[in-house]
Amino acid sequence: MSVQVHKDYIVVAQNASGRNMHVPVYRLRGNQPGPTVYIQSSIHGAEVQGNVVIYHLIGMLKSRSLCGEIILVPNCNPVGTNIKAGEYTLGRFDPVNGTNWNRGYFYDPQRLLAFAETVNVQESDESIKQRFRNYWRQAIEDKLAAPWGLGLAQQLNLQLQKLAVEADYVLDLHNGPVSTRHIYIPEYASQSATLFNIPHCIFIPNQFAGALDEATFCPWWTLSDNLQQRFDRPFNFSVEAFTLEMGSQEVIEFDAGKEDAVSIMTYLAAKGVVMDQQLKPLPISRVAVRLSQYKTLFTSFGGMVEYCAKPGQRVTSGEVLARVLNIDELDNERATHEITAPCDLIPILHFPSASVLSGTQLYKVFTEFEQLT
């Protein structure tokens, strides 16, 4: 039986003319109860590949049997998508106050700990989960109603988080500048790394830096740890959240998007959302690092750069990563110099421009990585 797609719109911002800016919300409901899934794309305006992934997901999901509900929000930041300078999309930061569009989600550990004090030893995990979800939703509403107001990015983030707070599984689709595919995974959900067809995995700790995946899993992780310490038994609320980096920004690739949609479908099948026994993770090579070993190589100079190491390519210590041209020294031996790898590493992404200032994040790389599969 085909699944019906229900579409409506939410208001995420108003422009200077006072007109509402809407984003579509697609809901697919299964015939059986089950988890809720929330997937969004393009919180950063130049990161557009996730939209074609959602396009393929809708097509695939309509012909499958589902349990629970899947909520899909493509192009969730129409403000960022429309901030253009020539051929470039400058949609990473709120243009009014410079805030990163992916750093305004809500998390208040003190409010969380206040809730934890209301839990008694006899209460079931499911009861705690429902009560906390209602409590956290109200906390987000209270933040939106703050008497002194909020910046545009935080207003937009909280409108989206009101949808995501209902979900058991949250996937935020992003892109790097020039990037290979990789995924951020909370350490407690490390086994889920092998459920996606993504070769590079970053295991992240219970630290909130403002992003949607952290705003989703940090509250549940902290609550679980607090209750386990108090009552000396494990608590499992079955909530997971990930940031999926779907290649390079400013690029739409329909064939690659279909592969990424299949990757997400394999995860949803493993979690009992999609009823399809044929969906299995591919037997690909997967490597992982702890977040502390995901390093940034900054430049100590400015110049024109050739990126010699490609994202996803394994590089040994001493190999050339980049070659730099110095315009003021073209007539002598100082015209060029090479940047070499300080250790064995895997470049995951690099700066998109050949023109760099000193202090630029040139590469982000895996170091001390481990083989998963």
Side-chain angles (χ1 to χ4, degrees):
M1 177 182 291
S2 62
V3 176
Q4 295 298 310
V5 180
H6 303 273
K7 179 172 64 174
D8 55 16
Y9 294 86
I10 62 169
V11 177
V12 294
Q14 282 188 330
N15 64 20
S17 299
R19 296 187 180 92
N20 288 338
M21 304 188 75
H22 302 82
V23 297
V25 178
Y26 298 86
R27 294 178 182 266
L28 296 87
R29 296 185 177 94
N31 295 320
Q32 302 178 56
T36 298
V37 179
Y38 176 84
I39 303 175
Q40 73 175 31
S41 64
S42 292
I43 191 64
H44 293 135
E47 300 179 16
V48 293
Q49 178 67 10
N51 298 313
V52 79
V53 175
I54 289 178
Y55 160 73
H56 284 299
L57 278 172
I58 291 173
M60 294 174 184
L61 290 166
K62 286 194 296 185
S63 62
R64 298 306 207 283
S65 295
L66 303 181
C67 296
E69 181 180 28
I70 299 175
I71 304 168
L72 302 164
V73 187
N75 199 38
C76 67
N77 180 6
V79 182
T81 303
N82 287 285
I83 302 173
K84 304 290 288 189
E87 65 265 41
Y88 299 104
T89 305
L90 305 180
R92 189 170 185 81
F93 302 98
D94 175 348
V96 177
N97 57 33
T99 306
N100 187 320
W101 289 113
N102 193 38
R103 294 295 183 270
Y105 296 97
F106 172 79
Y107 178 59
D108 183 344
Q110 294 307 312
R111 197 155 182 168
L112 185 155
L113 294 176
F115 172 86
E117 292 298 319
T118 71
V119 176
N120 63 63
V121 68
Q122 289 84 23
E123 189 171 6
S124 69
D125 288 9
E126 188 57 37
S127 172
I128 298 168
K129 184 176 182 178
Q130 188 56 53
R131 282 205 309 118
F132 181 65
R133 181 162 280 153
N134 294 336
Y135 177 87
W136 210 241
R137 185 191 312 109
Q138 185 59 55
I140 296 168
E141 292 277 9
D142 293 345
K143 187 68 174 178
L144 271 168
W148 297 104
L150 300 168
L152 175 58
Q154 195 166 20
Q155 289 180 35
L156 185 146
N157 285 167
L158 296 180
Q159 292 290 354
L160 297 170
Q161 193 175 1
K162 283 168 57 179
L163 296 174
V165 76
E166 304 295 332
D168 303 287
Y169 306 117
V170 172
L171 282 67
D172 195 8
L173 309 186
H174 284 250
N175 298 94
V178 177
S179 173
T180 190
R181 280 162 173 73
H182 55 291
I183 182 171
Y184 290 86
I185 301 171
E187 291 173 351
Y188 71 83
S190 60
Q191 290 184 337
S192 290
T194 60
L195 302 180
F196 295 92
N197 301 327
I198 297 178
H200 302 101
C201 308
I202 304 167
F203 295 145
I204 54 179
N206 188 9
Q207 296 175 356
F208 180 68
L212 178 62
D213 58 345
E214 299 156 345
T216 300
F217 67 68
C218 283
W220 295 104
W221 194 344
T222 303
L223 178 63
S224 176
D225 285 352
N226 177 277
L227 296 179
Q228 181 168 342
Q229 185 174 8
R230 284 176 57 202
F231 299 127
D232 194 30
R233 74 169 179 86
F235 289 78
N236 182 13
F237 298 117
S238 300
V239 175
E240 297 181 357
F242 312 92
T243 293
L244 282 67
E245 301 279 355
M246 309 270 83
S248 303
Q249 64 190 24
E250 297 277 35
V251 174
I252 283 283
E253 296 179 352
F254 276 81
D255 289 345
K258 187 173 183 179
E259 294 177 5
D260 291 329
V262 170
S263 174
I264 292 171
M265 292 283 285
T266 64
Y267 172 77
L268 298 181
K271 295 300 180 180
V273 179
V274 175
M275 300 294 101
D276 188 336
Q277 296 183 354
Q278 302 302 313
L279 287 168
K280 301 292 183 183
L282 295 176
I284 62 172
S285 172
R286 296 175 180 86
V287 296
V289 295
R290 302 290 171 182
L291 183 62
S292 60
Q293 298 304 321
Y294 185 38
K295 302 289 190 181
T296 301
L297 180 66
F298 292 91
T299 64
S300 57
F301 50 80
M304 309 295 172
V305 176
E306 176 190 8
Y307 300 94
C308 301
K310 306 304 179 186
Q313 169 190 341
R314 296 200 182 197
V315 176
T316 59
S317 179
E319 279 193 70
V320 175
L321 288 173
R323 188 172 293 110
V324 184
L325 181 68
N326 186 335
I327 302 303
D328 279 346
E329 305 288 351
L330 297 183
D331 58 346
N332 60 63
E333 69 279 2
R334 294 188 299 275
T336 66
H337 69 276
E338 295 176 338
I339 301 171
T340 58
C343 62
D344 292 351
L345 53 83
I346 303 174
I348 300 300
L349 58 84
H350 66 69
F351 193 64
S353 174
S355 301
V356 302
L357 302 172
S358 59
T360 296
Q361 294 186 19
L362 200 64
Y363 277 99
K364 297 194 77 171
V365 304
F366 279 15
T367 66
E368 298 184 30
F369 45 88
E370 60 178 299
Q371 195 76 36
L372 292 182
T373 60

